[in-house]
Amino acid sequence: MKRPTKLDGTHAGDFGFDPLGFTEDYDLYMMQEAELRHARLAMLAVVGWPLSELIAPKWMLQGEYGCAPSVLNGFNPVSFLAVVGIFGALGFFEYKTALRKVDDTKLGKIHAEDMRDVWKWGVAGDYNFDPLNLYESIGSNAYARKGLREVEISHGRSAMLGITAFAIWEALTGHPIVENSMFFHPNLLLPLLVAGYFAFGQFYELDEEASDMFLRFKLSSEGEARMENLKMGLGVGRNNDDDDTAMAGPDIDFEAIAAFPEKIVNAVNQLNEKINDLQDSYMDNVVQPEKKKD
């Protein structure tokens, strides 16, 4: 499928996907603005929905099992008035800001400069709101700012899918999404999964030679060294001529076990270093090459 003409990759979140041809029939800026508004609402909703089911009083929830109030789950008088008030306020905000002028604000001027070679309308979703100055957190240039907008719209799209899944699940089952979920109740499964993921990353890496066609992993050079150290520490594969000692089982290196917490701390520090290296690699291999092309 060919990339649509207007989706040339210059805008955040543009992956050239428009099978129904909306970009040819409707204003691109208007659609970007609408998507961002819905994405931001969805990110708030995908947090508020399960939170309400966890901490809200029973009389605020719906059904026998306590589902969040929604169009499909229904409302009680109090929740209905609250929802009407919230959406009324959001509607008024949209009415007041739909035709806002942004080219005379701080961020608006920055966006106009960033997008001057693309069009004259700056960036959709710009409300000149950045009280913590996070917009400059990975760099003060057009490519770094576009990267942060990419993160926002990607999370927003995931949130829109997530909140839709919440509503459909509860409408079909009548049970809240926080019920029997490892993400919302204390359990060992989630930390074990995280620990397993972390441990796997200490030994294996993505096989780049096969990554173009298959998703395969291979034992890294550091992983091989760690594996050998682990075998030595546990006495696995040790040749032993003494039958009695062999029958007694492998020797346990208790000093290695005692040093395990320190190794975990070192591993976490290495992970932080890898994250920093990944950020530097993104700036060097993605942001700077694009800047050189211009």
Side-chain angles (χ1 to χ4, degrees):
M1 185 178 294
K2 294 183 178 180
R3 177 184 284 269
T5 305
K6 294 183 180 179
L7 301 183
D8 56 1
T10 56
H11 299 281
D14 175 7
F15 298 101
F17 182 76
D18 181 26
L20 299 181
F22 288 134
T23 56
E24 299 298 322
D25 299 326
Y26 301 98
D27 181 73
L28 182 59
Y29 186 94
M30 179 198 71
M31 289 190 292
Q32 287 181 318
E33 184 84 10
E35 182 184 30
L36 273 168
R37 288 172 183 262
H38 284 82
R40 289 165 178 171
L41 283 175
M43 286 189 283
L44 293 173
V46 84
V47 174
W49 186 298
L51 194 62
S52 67
E53 295 179 342
L54 289 172
I55 66 174
K58 186 70 175 179
W59 55 268
M60 283 287 291
L61 302 175
Q62 294 298 116
E64 179 182 356
Y65 301 101
C67 295
S70 69
V71 173
L72 298 179
N73 290 339
F75 300 95
N76 60 40
V78 177
S79 61
F80 177 77
L81 291 175
V83 170
V84 169
I86 291 171
F87 277 92
L90 292 173
F92 180 75
F93 175 77
E94 184 167 350
Y95 167 74
K96 296 295 289 185
T97 61
L99 301 177
R100 67 191 183 280
K101 186 178 180 181
V102 296
D103 57 0
D104 58 347
T105 63
K106 176 184 176 181
L107 291 180
K109 293 177 180 178
I110 293 175
H111 289 150
E113 179 65 20
D114 291 348
M115 305 294 288
R116 71 181 187 277
D117 296 330
V118 180
W119 62 9
K120 61 181 180 180
W121 296 293
V123 170
D126 175 12
Y127 290 91
N128 195 41
F129 181 77
D130 184 26
L132 300 180
N133 198 33
L134 297 177
Y135 206 25
E136 308 290 334
S137 58
I138 65 170
S140 181
N141 57 69
Y143 303 100
R145 285 188 285 270
K146 180 186 176 184
L148 283 180
R149 296 197 300 275
E150 292 270 10
V151 172
E152 180 189 30
I153 192 59
S154 296
H155 283 79
R157 288 167 177 170
S158 298
M160 286 188 284
L161 293 174
I163 199 66
T164 302
F166 288 179
I168 294 175
W169 173 265
E170 293 193 358
L172 293 176
T173 66
H175 290 261
I177 52 99
V178 299
E179 186 178 82
N180 299 324
S181 172
M182 65 179 178
F183 294 103
F184 302 109
H185 298 284
N187 62 88
L188 289 176
L189 180 58
L190 185 59
L192 285 175
L193 288 174
V194 173
Y197 173 80
F198 177 76
F200 183 85
Q202 293 299 303
F203 293 93
Y204 292 90
E205 64 182 3
L206 183 66
D207 188 350
E208 295 183 357
E209 295 180 358
S211 62
D212 291 339
M213 184 174 297
F214 304 107
L215 183 63
R216 290 180 177 174
F217 296 89
K218 65 179 181 179
L219 194 65
S220 64
S221 57
E222 295 88 350
E224 291 179 358
R226 293 189 182 106
M227 187 71 74
E228 290 301 320
N229 291 334
L230 183 62
K231 290 179 179 180
M232 292 174 59
L234 296 177
V236 177
R238 182 182 299 169
N239 293 326
N240 200 328
D241 297 331
D242 190 346
D243 294 339
D244 294 336
T245 305
M247 292 181 63
D251 295 334
I252 303 299
D253 189 347
F254 292 100
E255 292 183 359
I257 296 176
F260 186 72
E262 182 179 353
K263 292 181 179 180
I264 291 293
V265 173
N266 293 334
V268 172
N269 292 333
Q270 291 177 8
L271 180 62
N272 289 331
E273 292 178 0
K274 289 182 179 180
I275 293 174
N276 293 331
D277 292 342
L278 182 62
Q279 179 176 328
D280 294 338
S281 176
Y282 171 79
M283 297 298 295
D284 294 339
N285 298 322
V286 178
V287 173
Q288 297 301 331
E290 290 187 7
K291 189 174 182 180
K292 290 179 180 178
K293 290 179 183 179
D294 294 342

